[in-house]
Amino acid sequence: MKKIYFNMATRERRAAIVENGEVVELMIERPVHNRVVSSVYRGKVVNVLPGMQAAFIDIGRDKNGFLYRDDLLSFHLSTEDEAEKKRRSISEFVKEGEEILVQVTKEGFGTKGPRLTGVVSFPGKFIVYMPQGGYVGVSRRFSSEEERERLRQVGESLLEGEEGLIIRTSCEGQSADVIASELQFMRARWQKLWEEEKHRKAPALIHQDTGLIERIMRDFSFATVSEIVVDHLEEYRQLKGLLAPYGQSETMLRLYREKENIFTAFGIEKELERAMKRQIWLKNGAYLMIDQTEALTVIDVNTGKFTGKTNLHDTIRKTNAEAAKEIAKQLRLRDISGIIIIDFIDMKREDDQKYVLETFEQALKRDRTKTSIHGLTGLGLVEMTRKKIRQNLQASLSKACPTCSGKGAVLSDEAQAFKIERQLWEYRGMVEEALVLELPSHVATVLFGAKSEHLKRLEEALGFRILVFPNRKMAEENFAIRFIGTLTEASAQLERLKAEA
């Protein structure tokens, strides 16, 4: 059973999903203008790239959206033979300057703009409605092929014109009337929206995706939720209205009234802090190292303090199995997506490899986001992918370190000292008597010695005095030559720096 906690008291709105006492998902929503995934825009084609079979679309945001040929509505609805259609260039389907309706499927990441599709869709509780989808899709997670076929036929009988829909897993066992009711509601909502917005000039926002509360209420089955706790009265009333048709608002919903932050009170804040760390300790003493880059995520499994009780083979098997469960949890909690490489501790036996992979696959079944394991490589690494939709937790809550520029490391004290010394040698033979050098105090010790024994030697070699200001507050890798001139002026400048520090 799940519990859902909403932290809505501040402008940053947060939600946490807890299963069996463990936080498994964290969702964060910033102010409304940053909500972009699933929003619909009337965009303008600014550039068509036949070599990439893609186009850049101006949707009125900082970066142009990226639209592949295969995601164009005109390509999607084409009745040509599939092989023949694939041979055609994107320039035959869309022209520069053309206005088209698009929907954001992925947020922009780094230097990349948002990913777009021309096949607009709106998810509901049981179906995904596509005003111009042209087909019926059915989830593959149904318990039987007979149920899938029944629902497919129901869907096909309800569509009008070029409409399309996808039957969601939550629809299993539902009657045709339930599907028809939701379809009619979504059809009417789209028709009203389109009538109001179709005359707008590109670039323009036509429809913005629903907020955090609506998305969670739409995507989760109430049958699996035992409690919902929210810390803001307005959102409490909204949730009460959403739950009322199901007759569960009184028993399931609770308003949190205490002064302490709701995430702190229920231990969620600690889990959030843990999810931002590179190293994750397992209960048995082993640990994971999680390194996220723009291209992929690498996860390394280490035995750490776990030495086992029987033999090396047993220790490795147990550590890897425990790690597989924690990795599945961390992927979901941190919302890590894209290419993921996992370096489990080397397993010689094939049955051990199979056991760990099966344990991992079983743990991933709880993840709502699509995952795919591609097996072990020749080096014994597990390759997998997880669908990318929104920014992961690290990207949402952190920025690149201004000191190391995101590298995760800075020059050693010795390397910084030698770099400064090389800079000083470029002033060799200058006519001025002295210069004032400001640098981090710990680097000054390395450069000039604990008792400045190297300073005199350097001054003699360069031919001028070096007045040093060791600054304890100066950032790593920083240094500055603050003044060059007569010894008297340099001494006065050094005293001013010391007084200002």
Side-chain angles (χ1 to χ4, degrees):
M1 296 297 288
K2 299 182 181 72
K3 293 183 179 181
I4 305 176
Y5 298 92
F6 287 102
N7 179 203
M8 298 294 186
T10 63
R11 285 187 305 151
E12 182 184 71
R13 298 148 69 87
R14 306 186 297 177
I17 312 298
V18 177
E19 289 179 0
N20 302 318
E22 286 192 334
V23 182
V24 294
E25 283 187 53
L26 286 164
M27 284 156 273
I28 297 172
E29 182 179 85
R30 300 285 163 77
V32 67
H33 66 273
N34 290 328
R35 201 164 68 229
V36 62
V37 173
S38 295
S39 294
V40 180
Y41 294 84
R42 181 186 282 281
K44 187 173 184 178
V45 181
V46 294
N47 201 3
V48 179
L49 307 173
M52 296 178 66
Q53 292 289 33
F56 284 102
I57 315 294
D58 179 10
I59 58 173
R61 298 187 67 86
D62 294 341
K63 295 186 179 73
N64 291 332
F66 193 70
L67 176 64
Y68 280 109
R69 178 203 62 184
D70 294 16
D71 293 325
L72 280 164
L73 180 63
S74 52
F75 182 88
H76 172 75
L77 294 178
S78 174
T79 55
E80 286 182 291
D81 176 77
E82 196 65 27
E84 183 63 32
K85 189 167 68 169
K86 289 283 186 182
R87 283 193 284 268
R88 293 182 61 183
S89 170
I90 185 173
S91 58
E92 298 178 54
F93 294 95
V94 66
K95 305 295 181 186
E96 191 173 315
E98 184 179 340
E99 294 189 1
I100 59 175
L101 199 67
V102 292
Q103 186 172 37
V104 178
T105 57
K106 292 180 184 177
E107 283 185 5
F109 296 92
T111 58
K112 299 176 182 176
R115 174 81 178 269
L116 308 175
T117 180
V119 185
V120 174
S121 63
F122 300 96
K125 188 72 178 173
F126 302 114
I127 65 170
V128 177
Y129 174 63
M130 297 176 287
Q132 295 177 296
Y135 75 98
V136 173
V138 184
S139 168
R140 295 179 181 178
R141 294 187 177 183
F142 284 113
S143 57
S144 69
E145 191 59 36
E146 290 78 11
E147 179 67 354
R148 292 184 78 243
E149 188 55 35
R150 178 185 77 85
L151 291 170
R152 185 191 304 279
Q153 291 177 10
V154 169
E156 288 175 349
S157 69
L158 295 172
L159 295 182
E160 297 177 359
E162 293 181 338
E163 286 181 334
L165 61 83
I166 297 171
I167 308 290
R168 304 185 70 179
T169 309
S170 56
C171 194
E172 184 165 11
Q174 299 296 328
S175 67
D177 289 343
V178 170
I179 300 171
S181 175
E182 185 167 66
L183 175 60
Q184 182 55 40
F185 170 77
M186 299 181 79
R187 178 188 288 146
R189 189 176 67 170
W190 165 249
Q191 288 173 350
K192 182 176 182 294
L193 173 68
W194 183 237
E195 198 61 36
E196 292 172 351
E197 304 288 344
K198 66 181 179 181
H199 301 297
R200 297 187 67 186
K201 292 290 184 182
L205 175 64
I206 301 298
H207 165 76
Q208 188 162 45
D209 189 33
T210 52
L212 186 61
I213 285 178
E214 294 90 338
R215 288 203 310 275
I216 291 178
M217 292 299 98
R218 178 188 71 202
D219 293 340
F220 282 89
S221 169
F222 298 132
T224 64
V225 177
S226 62
E227 186 179 41
I228 299 173
V229 187
V230 60
D231 64 351
H232 197 255
L233 183 59
E234 187 176 332
E235 275 71 24
Y236 170 80
R237 289 169 176 163
Q238 182 186 0
L239 281 163
K240 196 169 185 179
L242 291 169
L243 289 166
Y246 303 93
Q248 295 172 295
S249 59
E250 299 300 327
T251 57
M252 185 186 296
L253 186 60
R254 180 159 67 92
L255 177 62
Y256 179 79
R257 299 175 182 272
E258 306 302 322
K259 289 184 179 180
E260 186 179 26
N261 182 277
I262 185 171
F263 271 28
T264 304
F266 290 96
I268 299 165
E269 206 70 58
K270 285 184 179 179
E271 198 64 33
L272 179 57
E273 291 172 6
R274 183 171 179 257
M276 293 296 292
K277 292 180 179 178
R278 181 173 175 245
Q279 185 178 39
I280 297 293
W281 287 97
L282 307 181
K283 293 177 182 178
N284 62 8
Y287 65 90
L288 309 175
M289 296 297 288
I290 303 175
D291 291 299
Q292 294 176 243
T293 71
E294 188 173 342
L296 52 80
T297 298
V298 179
I299 302 175
D300 187 30
V301 181
N302 298 277
T303 52
K305 301 172 185 176
F306 182 57
T307 56
K309 294 182 179 179
T310 53
N311 53 49
L312 179 61
H313 161 260
D314 182 63
T315 301
I316 292 172
R317 181 184 170 102
K318 286 183 177 179
T319 301
N320 282 339
E322 185 72 23
K325 296 173 186 175
E326 184 63 28
I327 290 169
K329 176 188 170 184
Q330 290 297 323
L331 293 179
R332 188 177 172 192
L333 183 62
R334 299 172 186 232
D335 205 7
I336 295 172
S337 54
I339 301 169
I340 301 159
I341 305 294
I342 305 167
D343 185 9
F344 285 106
I345 302 168
D346 190 32
M347 296 172 285
K348 303 295 184 184
R349 298 184 186 181
E350 192 174 327
D351 60 324
D352 287 345
Q353 296 175 2
K354 185 179 178 182
Y355 171 73
V356 170
L357 283 176
E358 286 176 351
T359 302
F360 190 35
E361 288 171 351
Q362 193 64 32
L364 285 172
K365 285 183 178 179
R366 295 181 178 180
D367 196 340
R368 295 186 299 124
T369 302
K370 183 181 178 182
T371 58
S372 179
I373 299 176
H374 300 277
L376 286 162
T377 68
L379 294 174
L381 306 173
V382 173
E383 289 183 345
M384 70 168 291
T385 56
R386 189 171 182 271
K387 189 175 180 181
K388 183 181 288 186
I389 299 175
R390 293 177 174 83
Q391 285 189 332
N392 59 55
L393 199 63
Q394 179 177 286
S396 296
L397 298 179
S398 64
K399 65 178 183 179
C401 170
T403 301
C404 71
S405 301
K407 293 183 297 184
V410 294
L411 290 175
S412 67
D413 292 350
E414 291 80 6
Q416 291 182 63
F418 296 142
K419 180 180 178 180
I420 296 169
E421 186 174 353
R422 285 191 293 272
Q423 184 76 41
L424 291 172
W425 272 88
E426 293 184 12
Y427 291 88
R428 181 177 51 176
M430 70 178 184
V431 296
E432 286 83 359
E433 288 183 289
L435 61 74
V436 178
L437 172 67
E438 182 181 7
L439 74 169
S441 53
H442 55 89
V443 178
T445 304
V446 176
L447 178 57
F448 299 120
K451 297 181 180 180
S452 299
E453 58 267 25
H454 303 314
L455 179 59
K456 188 174 181 181
R457 174 187 58 78
L458 193 57
E459 287 177 331
E460 289 175 353
L462 299 179
F464 55 80
R465 290 289 304 277
I466 303 171
L467 305 186
V468 183
F469 175 45
N471 188 346
R472 292 181 180 178
K473 298 178 181 179
M474 200 168 199
E476 293 282 355
E477 295 194 7
N478 279 4
F479 71 95
I481 294 172
R482 295 298 185 191
F483 180 81
I484 298 176
T486 67
L487 181 59
T488 302
E489 291 172 329
S491 298
Q493 182 66 26
L494 178 62
E495 292 305 316
R496 278 196 291 271
L497 286 173
K498 288 179 178 179
E500 292 170 0

